[in-house]
Amino acid sequence: MRKFISEPLVHFLVLGTVIFAAAQLVSDDEPFAVNEIVVGADRIEGLATVFARTWQRPPNESELQGLISEFVREEIYYREALALGLDQDDIIVRRRLRQKLEFLSEDLAATDSAPTDAELAAHLEAHPDRFQTEVRFSFVQVPVDEEGDPGELLALLREAGTDVDTSPYGGLALLEREHHNVSAPKVAMQFGDNFTARLSEVPLGQWQGPIPSSYGAHLVLISERSAAALPSLETIRERVRLDLADVRRQRAAKRFYESLRQRYQVTVEFPNRTSDAAYPEAS
Amino acid sequence: MTQPKYALLDASMRLLKIALALVLAYIATPSLVSTARAEAKTDTPYSPYVDRDFPTRPFFGDTHLHTSFSMDAGAFGARLSPRDAYKFARGEEIATSTGQRAKLSRPLDFLVVADHSDGMGFFPLLFEGTPEVMADPQGKIWHEMIKSGKGNEAGFDIVRKFGLGQMPKAILPVPGTSAYRGAWQKTIEAAEEANDPGTFTAFIGFEWTSNTGGNNLHRNVIFRDDGRKAGLVEPYTTVKPLGSDDPKDLWRWMAAYEESSGGHVLAIPHNGNLSNGRMFPRIDSFSGKPIDRAYAEQRQRWERLYEVSQIKGDGETHPLLSPNDEFADFERWDAGNLDLSEPKKPEMLEFEYARSALRSGLQLEQELGVNPFKFGMVGSTDAHTGLSGVEEDNFFGKTAGSEPGPHRSSHPFITNPQTGLTFHGWQTIASGYVGVWANENTRESLFDAMERRETFATTGSRMTVRFFGGWEFDEDDAFQPDPARVGYESGVPMGSDLPKRPRGGEPRFLVAALKEPGGANLDRIQIVKGWLDDEGELHERVYDVVWGDADQRKIGRDGKLTPVGSTVDVENATWANRIGDPELISVWKDPNFDSDQSAFYYARVLEIPTPRWTAYDAKRFDLELPPEVPMTTQDRAYSSPIWYTPR
């Protein structure tokens, strides 16, 4: 019995009966006032359009009937749920509504007029770090034993020069030996940041190393190394546009919230605290 | 001084004449033409790398990430949008839903944001100035305000009138109209912006969440296409009348999309472990009848991959299904279905785990003529945080509430008062990612690789796994400087069928793994074989094929390899690469091959033990966790299988 009483469904039913009975008592209406639901042509067209976007064809007669009766059922439940106040204090409803309003304000930002060339150029100039081309390397690497002394192999490779076939030497067969025109972040993804930093320092055209990496150590021959540069607006217009749009979107969202916030006076009433330790952390 | 010059000229003239003669001959004589062509064919370039048209490195990604656009994720408190999710995956630092600074150790190569859709859009309609808008006096005023740069004021006025219930009815967006944009459209936009062919791939996708009775039959749907095609449809849902919770209806929807748009989609199921015996059925739980050939064909057409590992448990196999597999008991979630409304019964297990499904597929192929469960392996996160962060020392949890914090490991994750069952917070696992052997990092190339199942699942680390099957590999092939070249030349990659068997011989496999950059060394590579014997009985066996510290470790009398040991210091959450090997390669041939029995083989790669995310949490937040909480883990990878079918 105790378990029965603690069932949420039981709470719901009991509460529902009470509310219903109370509503009957205070209301002068007929016991079952008839509410009206009109499923108009617009609505039917809307239902059919959603169906067509899902299935890539219009609904047939019985499918349309199904859509309509499902809509009616949903509408009735929706209205009844609202009447019972089930939307109140429901975290999903609250967050969903918040999200809808956020979408709305985002859409608003998206309708801002397209940025001019001058604005794009200014944005590019203000944030060179975001648009700089990456340093790129072409290099060959030979994995060597981290603890061993690779001096002999290094001497041998230096002797053999830049055209040497490295396949007889070193370990790690799954790690690619030749890397052509690879950007620094991609090198770092594979070999780690320290390795990439060293690639930027050591001389070109001669075997160097050992250089430590995320795998161990390597002898390295760099054939090319391009410097970072800021591209012209012409070549990266779309990227700059997207970045600026993103910045504006965030700014607009902030402004939007702030202006809403201004219309509220917020009072926070903490329960009486015995000590500051009552709220050790916010989680 | 002039002599050499003339000589040079002379020589050039002579060359020119020869060339001319050759060209004339080429044009004049058909027989010469074919000879010249034959010569060109054998005349391959000197550089062995010129025409290398096979994948040289795997691309790592996550095919299954939720953001605040998912209803449940939003309710859990997720604040990040698909745009944020792509930024994080690309390696940028972002602020999480709980305000923490977060960054991946290294960027991912691709990401699929798989959210649910519906939403609303109004401003684009207004901005466009559609006839309906312009016909309404208020609509016209707002439109002109926006056009003249007073968008913000217009916005507030609109919101105010919304609140007062004074919106002109004529211009309210009606669901279904083309101007009605929702979360789906925003998801597409975010993917289009983040997609950067060659550097980072942002797939368009969504999750279809069939969950009737709390039994998980979820699928992620991924588009090969761009927004122009994907934007033609609304994602398929599970609610009637528009949607359905039956996967067969999802497949119909996928077929309808492909037919009308000319695009391509695939679906990846996940969490069979929470389906209570329904993920890999023999009896279709929707029709109540045994699955038939049509089911097998459709499933094989649309679902060529299975998400074998993710935060809600690893699904390779189960100790009750694989009693002889000493590594079978890994991060299992076997208390019940997704909402824990129904406890697990042992007889459900064989319809839930990848290995038993691969086995059952062999049997079904014999019965139906088509193997419905011929799938490759992927791992993904299924995180609901917008953060694809499943590194053990950088685990950002399942939901916003389980982002790093002192209570996330001790809080229940899912609990059902009716059954009294609980999945605990500490049971969530920092898993997984997928490695895709694609030629390039583009939507098309990655998608096609997924369709041919050239993928491997990992439980969150990013080791490289190669797996080739054939009839001709010999032991020396393991010592080639470029094993992949041999693999593709003399065999087939993971996800394929073995080529036709030459007379005699047993299948051989070239298998190799390289540790994650900066990650843990490797313990061993195993090959898992499943087969169907002449009596129609199914079997499986796990072979240790190659292992680290080979000079000190042997397979004992009991058939077990000496354990690799452990360097983990739980208290300090550290480990060292003093044991194991950074790379393992071997050629293995099946010692128990029977050419009349169908079989599958896949590789399992184990790392040496490392601290589990719970150990990093305990260290960071100074926690005393109960003894049942595992504090070390052995991250692993599963390759897609290679199948053998008798002919």
Side-chain angles (χ1 to χ4, degrees):
Chain A
M1 188 60 193
R2 177 171 295 171
K3 193 174 176 216
F4 177 74
I5 290 174
S6 66
E7 283 281 340
L9 183 64
V10 175
H11 294 171
F12 177 78
L13 288 176
V14 170
L15 208 66
T17 315
V18 171
I19 293 171
F20 185 75
Q24 290 302 302
L25 283 177
V26 298
S27 141
D28 295 330
D29 290 350
E30 295 289 305
F32 292 100
V34 176
N35 297 303
E36 199 184 17
I37 293 176
V38 179
V39 187
D42 280 358
R43 177 66 67 183
I44 292 173
E45 208 175 296
L47 291 171
T49 317
V50 176
F51 183 96
R53 276 181 54 86
T54 302
W55 285 104
Q56 299 290 290
R57 63 171 176 81
N60 62 31
E61 193 61 33
S62 76
E63 282 163 342
L64 193 60
Q65 279 306 328
L67 292 172
I68 292 169
S69 64
E70 202 51 40
F71 170 78
V72 170
R73 179 185 297 262
E74 187 173 282
E75 181 69 19
I76 290 172
Y77 272 109
Y78 173 69
R79 289 191 194 178
E80 294 298 321
L82 282 184
L84 286 171
L86 298 187
D87 55 326
Q88 303 295 313
D89 289 324
D90 179 318
I91 197 154
I92 293 184
V93 174
R94 290 170 65 96
R95 293 212 165 125
R96 183 69 185 129
L97 292 178
R98 166 179 168 179
Q99 188 183 51
K100 281 184 137 174
L101 192 50
E102 280 173 349
F103 280 2
L104 217 74
S105 69
E106 248 194 52
D107 278 347
L108 177 64
T111 60
D112 274 0
S113 48
T116 62
D117 272 10
E119 285 169 325
L120 289 176
H123 186 66
L124 175 60
E125 208 164 308
H127 305 282
D129 48 313
R130 294 187 203 171
F131 303 104
Q132 243 168 19
T133 59
E134 292 145 343
V135 180
R136 302 181 91 87
F137 305 97
S138 295
F139 65 98
V140 185
Q141 61 82 22
V142 177
V144 291
D145 189 356
E146 245 172 310
E147 275 123 49
D149 175 18
E152 208 173 311
L153 181 55
L154 183 61
L156 191 147
L157 288 173
R158 283 191 171 163
E159 181 88 2
T162 53
D163 280 342
V164 61
D165 172 18
T166 66
S167 59
Y169 314 113
L172 300 186
L174 291 194
L175 196 58
E176 273 212 279
R177 289 288 170 91
E178 295 194 17
H179 298 256
H180 184 66
N181 198 27
V182 189
S183 70
K186 276 195 186 172
V187 176
M189 232 166 125
Q190 227 181 344
F191 295 91
D193 290 333
N194 294 339
F195 180 89
T196 316
R198 286 291 303 280
L199 283 199
S200 305
E201 296 161 9
V202 298
L204 299 184
Q206 192 189 32
W207 283 95
Q208 304 288 338
I211 299 180
S213 83
S214 342
Y215 289 107
H218 312 257
L219 300 183
V220 175
L221 173 69
I222 308 175
S223 54
E224 280 170 81
R225 181 167 59 203
S226 74
L230 193 60
S232 68
L233 180 59
E234 272 57 52
T235 51
I236 53 164
R237 178 182 301 273
E238 184 59 12
R239 263 181 62 207
V240 179
R241 192 188 65 73
L242 285 175
D243 195 73
L244 181 57
D246 203 29
V247 168
R248 285 184 170 178
R249 197 158 32 225
Q250 283 171 21
R251 206 184 299 147
K254 190 158 172 276
R255 258 204 325 261
F256 184 69
Y257 174 70
E258 277 165 2
S259 48
L260 290 178
R261 181 67 183 73
Q262 275 173 10
R263 299 176 3 207
Y264 290 83
Q265 188 186 342
V266 180
T267 316
V268 182
E269 291 176 346
F270 280 106
N272 289 332
R273 278 195 234 189
T274 48
S275 78
D276 284 352
Y279 299 92
E281 61 202 324
S283 60
Chain B
M1 280 306 284
T2 51
Q3 200 59 19
K5 210 177 181 180
Y6 278 119
L8 199 65
L9 190 67
D10 201 22
S12 336
M13 284 306 289
R14 216 178 309 146
L15 266 179
L16 193 68
K17 276 178 197 162
I18 292 169
L20 203 67
L22 269 177
V23 167
L24 284 172
Y26 190 94
I27 294 165
T29 346
S31 66
L32 252 183
V33 174
S34 60
T35 323
R37 273 191 192 151
E39 270 166 16
K41 215 173 183 180
T42 53
D43 186 18
T44 49
Y46 176 78
S47 168
Y49 306 107
V50 167
D51 285 329
R52 192 162 56 169
D53 60 352
F54 56 79
T56 55
R57 54 157 293 211
F59 295 106
F60 285 99
D62 180 357
T63 61
H64 186 183
L65 180 70
H66 294 267
T67 72
S68 62
F69 284 19
S70 286
M71 185 78 92
D72 53 348
F76 290 146
R79 299 301 325 137
L80 303 188
S81 70
R83 249 190 209 102
D84 302 317
Y86 286 121
K87 276 188 187 168
F88 181 76
R90 295 192 65 153
E92 288 181 36
E93 179 186 312
I94 64 169
T96 74
S97 302
T98 54
Q100 309 191 42
R101 295 170 63 199
K103 190 174 187 232
L104 281 174
S105 69
R106 283 165 294 127
L108 291 172
D109 297 300
F110 71 94
L111 175 67
V112 185
V113 167
D115 274 318
H116 299 292
S117 94
D118 96 308
M120 71 175 295
F122 172 64
F123 288 102
L125 187 88
L126 202 57
F127 183 63
E128 224 174 279
T130 55
E132 300 83 52
V133 168
M134 300 309 279
D136 183 90
Q138 181 67 69
K140 194 160 186 288
I141 293 172
W142 283 334
H143 173 75
E144 273 155 13
M145 279 168 86
I146 291 170
K147 279 292 183 196
S148 60
K150 291 183 186 160
N152 226 24
E153 286 106 283
F156 288 123
D157 195 36
I158 290 164
V159 171
R160 199 174 57 82
K161 291 218 161 58
F162 244 56
L164 296 171
Q166 294 174 353
M167 281 299 281
K169 288 245 161 29
I171 60 169
L172 262 181
V174 178
T177 58
S178 60
Y180 178 87
R181 302 186 323 155
W184 179 233
Q185 215 54 46
K186 288 185 181 297
T187 303
I188 290 175
E189 276 168 28
E192 296 291 76
E193 286 176 17
N195 192 49
D196 186 0
T199 302
F200 181 84
T201 295
F203 279 107
I204 298 168
F206 67 90
E207 178 176 333
W208 175 83
T209 312
S210 169
N211 206 40
T212 307
N215 299 310
N216 184 314
L217 290 175
H218 306 183
R219 265 92 173 156
N220 289 306
V221 177
I222 301 172
F223 290 75
R224 186 180 191 265
D225 315 307
D226 63 15
R228 277 170 301 181
K229 279 182 182 161
L232 292 174
V233 284
E234 299 279 356
Y236 194 57
T237 59
T238 61
V239 183
K240 288 186 184 334
L242 270 180
S244 154
D245 57 355
D246 184 342
K248 296 192 293 298
D249 290 322
L250 173 69
W251 302 334
R252 269 180 213 117
W253 176 85
M254 291 167 79
Y257 167 75
E258 289 204 348
E259 198 174 314
S260 66
S261 70
H264 293 283
V265 277
L266 60 80
I268 306 177
H270 67 88
N271 282 114
N273 58 344
L274 304 174
S275 74
N276 272 10
R278 289 169 178 81
M279 181 52 83
F280 302 106
R282 299 194 70 107
I283 307 289
D284 183 348
S285 60
F286 293 91
S287 67
K289 293 186 193 136
I291 60 168
D292 55 12
R293 190 183 168 106
Y295 178 98
E297 278 171 350
Q298 290 299 305
R299 183 148 181 164
Q300 184 50 210
R301 173 167 176 204
W302 300 110
E303 302 185 351
R304 298 173 62 82
L305 297 172
Y306 177 65
E307 184 185 298
V308 67
S309 198
Q310 63 129 284
I311 294 177
K312 293 198 307 292
D314 185 87
E316 186 211 1
T317 188
H318 189 280
L320 293 178
L321 298 170
S322 306
N324 297 321
D325 179 354
E326 59 182 307
F327 297 100
D329 193 11
F330 179 73
E331 306 283 3
R332 301 297 166 229
W333 283 42
D334 54 7
N337 52 358
L338 179 56
D339 61 0
L340 289 171
S341 57
E342 184 189 25
K344 186 76 70 200
K345 300 190 191 78
E347 60 269 26
M348 296 169 176
L349 296 172
E350 65 167 301
F351 307 108
E352 302 188 345
Y353 283 82
R355 193 189 295 172
S356 52
L358 289 169
R359 283 177 10 185
S360 138
L362 301 178
Q363 219 164 33
L364 286 163
E365 181 170 34
Q366 204 170 55
E367 289 166 26
L368 307 173
V370 178
N371 181 347
F373 307 136
K374 196 169 184 176
F375 53 78
M377 308 276 204
V378 308
S380 283
T381 68
D382 195 6
H384 279 52
T385 54
L387 304 165
S388 184
V390 290
E391 297 157 310
E392 298 292 341
D393 63 349
N394 196 25
F395 179 43
F396 270 80
K398 166 76 185 172
T399 62
S402 55
E403 286 182 5
H407 302 304
R408 66 166 168 171
S409 47
S410 49
H411 275 177
F413 175 67
I414 301 170
T415 187
N416 189 313
Q418 265 84 50
T419 55
L421 296 171
T422 297
F423 287 128
H424 299 278
W426 56 262
Q427 284 182 291
T428 56
I429 66 173
S431 176
Y433 289 130
V434 53
V436 180
W437 286 109
N439 288 31
E440 328 175 282
N441 188 358
T442 61
R443 282 174 178 162
E444 296 76 16
S445 189
L446 288 167
F447 185 97
D448 295 348
M450 290 197 258
E451 281 284 79
R452 59 174 193 268
R453 299 178 286 238
E454 208 174 336
T455 62
F456 57 94
T458 85
T459 60
S461 75
R462 287 182 244 178
M463 67 266 261
T464 296
V465 181
R466 290 283 200 184
F467 185 51
F468 298 97
W471 304 94
E472 287 156 16
F473 294 122
D474 61 41
E475 279 159 31
D476 282 350
D477 289 334
F479 300 101
Q480 294 288 325
D482 189 358
R485 176 179 291 278
V486 187
Y488 283 104
E489 275 171 8
S490 323
V492 294
M494 55 180 73
S496 315
D497 288 297
L498 275 171
K500 192 169 161 352
R501 181 170 178 248
R503 275 170 307 169
E506 59 286 289
R508 290 145 188 252
F509 298 89
L510 173 58
V511 62
L514 175 67
K515 73 166 189 175
E516 165 169 29
N521 274 352
L522 305 174
D523 166 6
R524 67 183 81 191
I525 302 181
Q526 301 175 306
I527 288 181
V528 178
K529 179 190 178 185
W531 71 98
L532 179 67
D533 74 13
D534 302 338
E535 270 79 54
E537 294 288 316
L538 291 165
H539 304 271
E540 65 171 56
R541 184 160 169 188
V542 182
Y543 297 89
D544 288 308
V545 169
V546 58
W547 48 90
D549 308 324
D551 50 336
Q552 296 152 39
R553 301 170 67 203
K554 290 195 171 50
I555 296 184
R557 289 237 178 96
D558 58 355
K560 285 186 179 150
L561 178 65
T562 323
V564 70
S566 175
T567 63
V568 177
D569 174 350
V570 170
E571 204 182 319
N572 293 306
T574 57
W575 96 104
N577 272 332
R578 285 195 303 272
I579 52 172
D581 279 16
E583 181 178 73
L584 297 170
I585 305 186
S586 189
V587 167
W588 179 79
K589 67 180 179 190
D590 181 0
N592 302 310
F593 178 67
D594 183 331
S595 64
D596 293 329
Q597 301 177 345
S598 57
F600 65 83
Y601 303 82
Y602 67 86
R604 181 168 71 182
V605 184
L606 271 70
E607 282 184 354
I608 63 169
T610 51
R612 194 176 181 267
W613 69 267
T614 38
Y616 289 100
D617 266 33
K619 165 94 170 109
R620 164 84 193 204
F621 302 113
D622 199 15
L623 306 174
E624 282 284 342
L625 293 174
E628 67 267 24
V629 179
M631 301 298 264
T632 64
T633 189
Q634 270 193 285
D635 270 314
R636 52 199 66 195
Y638 313 113
S639 81
S640 288
I642 292 175
W643 286 267
Y644 168 76
T645 315
R647 296 171 207 238

